[in-house]
Amino acid sequence: ESLHSKITRKIRETITAFQIERRYSKDKILEMYLNVAYFGRSAYGVATAAQIYFDKAPQDLSLSECGLLVGLLRGPAYYDPFNHPSRAYGRRNLVLHQMLREDFLTEEQYAKAKAEELHLAPLEGPAGIAAHFVEHIRQRLSRNPKLRGYDLYRDGLTIYTTLDSRMQRHANRAVQEHLAEIQAKFNSQWSWQQNREILEKAIEKAIYAREEYQRAETADERARIYRDLRGRKFFVDSVKKAEQTIEVGFVALDVKTGQVLAMVGGANFKTFRYGLNHVTQIRRQPGSAFKPFVYTVAIDNGYPPSFELLNQPVTIMMADGRRWTPKNAEGTFGGKNTLREGLKYSINLISVRLVTQEISPVRQVIQYAQRMGIKSPLPPYESLAMGTGEVSPLEMTAAFNVFPNEGVYVEPTTILRIEDKDGNTLDETFPSRKEVLSKETAYIMTTMMRDVVDGGTGLRVRNFFHLPAAGKTGTTQEFADAWFVGFTPHISAGVWVGFDDKQVHFTDWDGQGGRAAAPLWGRFMKYVYEDPKIDLPLEYFEKPESVIADSICAETKKLAAEYCPEKSLEYFTSKSLPPKCDIHTTPQPKKKRESTISF
């Protein structure tokens, strides 16, 4: 908006304000405002808000309930009583105190209203089965320049979105079932006595965020508010509950079109309408879920999945002079492992050696990841091989979608078309498509991630889903974040599970991506593929003709000869095809020579 437009708009608003004040009384203006104001959770107008929050008509509201609704006007999401009860109560108390100060209340009325504990109505609300998706759409519409001048709520616009309601219900079910299991287990293991420091910091942060604390004019007043809140069991319990709630971000995309088919942005997807969307609004370290980008560079640079690297400790000098000695998750190491084994079992030392030995240089890993859809900034250090850059679940899922889509990146979309009340098209989405990998590399990487699901760290997917699938688990340091991002020939989906407070972690190995995230993904796919109304056909990942499938010798990792005792199937491009095994050339194999083969 230009400066001239801003000035013109301000002048018009001023003239309109004068006309309204001349024509209507202040009570009438307030009445008109309250009939259209936004109270959060799709509630426009005080009558709707009273119904949604308290299941009452406005005239039946208590003084305390009225105070809470008025308090919501300043920030409906920030003071949401379902997700932030302590903030909502604090804001209500401030409204009541202002009424007392202006002599609208007696001391007795004020004390009674302040002491009243509110009982919120069970909430389903008009956002329906996809609350976070609806809010995501609303935010996108509010930023769309083609809708300037339109009222999103009153001008009769028709919005066509990509959401598949059947898949959304399956996503909701999978999230609800999975979180119920892992939350109960976490609650039984988590002890606030052992994590007192985290609780103290959380309580202080919650108090400092309270408006009455921020508005306090003296140190004595702030100390009084601090003591009062610390002594309120309801307040402390609400902080504890928020801190130890396991959060989730889940999103599913159509492989070919990139359309968002389902989105669950948080654990409280039923009643929590407009809070943090853990699909689009968080950035967290993906851990080992980032490794496919490292391996993609190696495969694209001509290394076969059978290429071996030492699974041995390595020490790296950091830019600040410190030494970094990465370890495998369980602290073990061994001899050699192939790239396929390194990805299947998520061996950290193999990933690190890929970047330190310039097989997958860090600069190239960043370039590939960005080409494939990662928009978040990535640190140009060797630790990136273990997923130390912060990314969102949506961009990770969109980037993984390149593999089943034969190397083509499709920008994820949520809105198809916008029409006015007369059916005229105001805007239409045509997602950008770009080839970022060869079909050969995309397919070979898919076969490697199939192994992750069929016998590697993602094996728990198979507790629920048994059709063709591929993906990668991710676990960050001290089990802070758990990931699983994967795909079938039809759907790509990503799962993040963790906590809003980064100080709170899972307590043990149950926080691994293979345990805390992969089963949720498996449940979703099971429900979708078993749904006769969706009726997805059985399909397999299609091998390009240019990809060579051949047997290799289990000992030498070269193309198998007639007399190799153990063989396995492997996939190659023409430039990564290894030579024939030269050890097992006769029925009595020669002693293995010590030699080094470069590919």
Side-chain angles (χ1 to χ4, degrees):
E1 187 178 12
S2 67
L3 179 60
H4 178 268
S5 299
K6 287 182 180 179
I7 294 174
T8 302
R9 178 169 54 81
K10 289 294 183 184
I11 292 173
R12 288 175 177 170
E13 289 175 353
T14 303
I15 294 172
T16 301
F18 277 122
Q19 291 174 338
I20 291 174
E21 287 188 348
R22 289 176 60 184
R23 186 171 180 179
Y24 302 104
S25 67
K26 288 187 176 180
D27 285 348
K28 185 64 177 177
I29 293 172
L30 180 60
E31 178 187 339
M32 291 189 295
Y33 170 70
L34 290 175
N35 281 334
V36 298
Y38 180 56
F39 289 84
R41 300 181 178 275
S42 297
Y44 287 87
V46 69
T48 305
Q51 184 70 36
I52 286 178
Y53 288 99
F54 300 109
D55 195 21
K56 293 181 178 181
Q59 62 268 25
D60 297 328
L61 293 172
S62 69
L63 176 60
S64 182
E65 291 167 343
C66 289
L68 184 136
L69 292 184
V70 171
L72 282 173
L73 292 171
R74 175 161 181 159
Y78 187 80
Y79 296 107
D80 184 294
F82 288 93
N83 191 58
H84 303 294
S86 59
R87 294 178 188 171
Y89 271 65
R91 181 68 181 167
R92 177 205 64 177
N93 294 344
L94 180 64
V95 170
L96 295 174
H97 187 267
Q98 292 291 90
M99 293 179 71
L100 173 67
R101 194 173 71 175
E102 298 297 327
D103 295 327
F104 287 101
L105 296 179
T106 65
E107 287 282 356
E108 183 181 353
Q109 289 172 323
Y110 169 70
K112 183 179 179 181
K114 184 179 177 182
E116 181 182 338
E117 187 151 339
L118 303 180
H119 300 284
L120 299 171
L123 189 63
E124 285 298 329
I129 61 172
H132 290 91
F133 181 84
V134 170
E135 174 61 8
H136 174 73
I137 295 295
R138 188 195 68 79
Q139 291 177 7
R140 290 203 57 196
L141 294 174
S142 66
R143 297 191 297 263
N144 190 332
K146 294 183 180 180
L147 300 183
R148 187 171 295 162
Y150 286 91
D151 188 311
L152 300 180
Y153 308 98
R154 297 179 179 83
D155 286 349
L157 301 180
T158 302
I159 316 299
Y160 295 89
T161 73
T162 61
L163 194 79
D164 186 312
S165 61
R166 302 162 302 180
M167 293 195 191
Q168 181 65 39
R169 288 188 175 90
H170 293 317
N172 290 345
R173 177 187 174 188
V175 167
Q176 185 175 22
E177 292 175 351
H178 180 68
L179 289 189
E181 289 182 6
I182 64 173
Q183 184 72 66
K185 189 166 187 178
F186 177 79
N187 290 346
S188 68
Q189 297 171 339
W190 180 260
S191 168
W192 281 115
Q193 292 179 341
Q194 296 176 1
N195 294 277
R196 192 70 194 178
E197 186 177 345
I198 293 176
L199 178 60
E200 292 297 327
K201 289 180 180 179
I203 291 174
E204 284 191 357
K205 184 178 178 181
I207 292 174
Y208 297 155
R210 295 286 288 256
E211 188 167 346
E212 66 264 41
Y213 184 90
Q214 295 175 359
R215 285 175 175 257
E217 297 179 354
T218 66
D220 287 343
E221 189 177 359
R222 285 192 291 272
R224 179 188 60 77
I225 294 171
Y226 187 94
R227 288 193 304 271
D228 178 56
L229 290 172
R230 286 298 303 264
R232 288 173 57 183
K233 185 176 184 300
F234 174 83
F235 173 77
V236 175
D237 286 347
S238 69
V239 173
K240 287 181 177 179
K241 183 177 180 181
E243 283 292 295
Q244 69 185 80
T245 295
I246 299 175
E247 278 297 348
V248 65
F250 176 88
V251 63
L253 308 177
D254 183 281
V255 164
K256 296 301 180 184
T257 65
Q259 294 177 2
V260 174
L261 302 172
M263 178 187 290
V264 181
N268 296 327
F269 59 87
K270 281 187 174 181
T271 59
F272 177 29
R273 291 293 176 240
Y274 300 120
L276 185 65
N277 188 329
H278 296 83
V279 171
T280 62
Q281 294 176 323
I282 66 165
R283 299 287 185 277
R284 293 296 178 92
Q285 291 184 353
S288 296
F290 191 83
K291 289 177 182 176
F293 301 115
V294 179
Y295 284 81
T296 294
V297 176
I299 298 300
D300 215 42
N301 281 342
Y303 291 88
S306 55
F307 182 77
E308 291 182 301
L309 284 170
L310 282 174
N311 179 13
Q312 296 288 339
V314 59
T315 299
I316 300 166
M317 290 298 297
M318 306 299 288
D320 59 4
R322 291 182 300 160
R323 293 174 180 269
W324 179 50
T325 306
K327 298 179 180 179
N328 290 327
E330 297 180 355
T332 59
F333 53 89
K336 288 183 177 182
N337 286 100
T338 64
L339 300 189
R340 182 174 292 277
E341 292 167 340
L343 189 61
K344 178 179 181 178
Y345 300 112
S346 201
I347 304 173
N348 290 338
L349 292 175
I350 299 298
S351 300
V352 173
R353 285 187 177 273
L354 280 170
V355 297
T356 57
Q357 295 184 13
E358 292 296 301
I359 295 168
S360 300
V362 174
R363 64 184 183 279
Q364 280 194 3
V365 172
I366 294 174
Q367 290 169 0
Y368 272 67
Q370 290 173 340
R371 271 168 36 192
M372 293 172 67
I374 300 298
K375 295 179 170 56
S376 298
L378 298 172
Y381 307 117
E382 288 82 357
S383 60
L384 184 63
M386 293 168 63
T388 54
E390 294 190 337
V391 294
S392 76
L394 180 59
E395 62 186 331
M396 279 290 285
T397 307
F400 269 60
N401 195 57
V402 169
F403 298 118
N405 201 25
E406 299 182 317
V408 176
Y409 172 74
V410 187
E411 188 76 25
T413 57
T414 53
I415 297 174
L416 298 174
R417 189 170 72 258
I418 305 171
E419 294 179 355
D420 65 15
K421 60 183 177 59
D422 299 316
N424 299 310
T425 299
L426 302 178
D427 195 13
E428 195 167 1
T429 302
F430 299 96
S432 60
R433 298 172 58 86
K434 182 170 61 174
E435 184 176 337
V436 296
L437 288 180
S438 68
K439 290 182 179 181
E440 293 80 8
T441 296
Y443 179 77
I444 291 174
M445 283 300 304
T446 296
T447 69
M448 293 170 69
M449 283 188 279
R450 261 187 3 220
D451 282 0
V452 173
V453 171
D454 290 337
T457 58
L459 183 60
R460 282 179 173 80
V461 164
R462 294 307 188 196
N463 290 345
F464 303 93
F465 184 64
H466 303 286
L467 297 181
K472 184 68 186 78
T473 56
T475 310
T476 59
Q477 193 171 14
E478 297 181 349
F479 309 111
D481 305 274
W483 293 75
F484 185 83
V485 189
F487 47 87
T488 70
H490 307 99
I491 303 169
S492 293
V495 180
W496 168 85
V497 177
F499 301 86
D500 279 336
D501 187 340
K502 293 185 179 181
Q503 296 182 95
V504 182
H505 300 167
F506 289 99
T507 54
D508 58 17
W509 292 95
D510 287 325
Q512 287 179 311
R515 299 184 183 187
L520 194 162
W521 192 96
R523 287 179 192 267
F524 169 76
M525 291 299 178
K526 167 185 168 66
Y527 300 150
V528 167
Y529 276 84
E530 288 180 352
D531 190 333
K533 295 180 180 179
I534 297 177
D535 194 26
L536 289 175
L538 172 61
E539 289 186 12
Y540 297 88
F541 299 109
E542 187 173 347
K543 183 179 77 68
E545 291 185 4
S546 51
V547 170
I548 302 167
D550 208 339
S551 296
I552 61 170
C553 174
E555 182 181 351
T556 64
K557 310 305 180 189
K558 300 177 184 179
L559 292 180
E562 181 181 356
Y563 298 106
C564 290
E566 294 184 40
K567 304 174 184 179
S568 61
L569 183 65
E570 192 52 274
Y571 299 90
F572 309 94
T573 63
S574 57
K575 64 179 180 181
S576 68
L577 197 67
K580 202 90 167 176
C581 175
D582 55 356
I583 300 297
H584 307 104
T585 56
T586 65
Q588 298 296 325
K590 294 184 290 184
K591 185 178 180 181
K592 183 177 178 181
R593 295 193 302 266
E594 295 295 330
S595 61
T596 302
I597 303 296
S598 298
F599 299 100

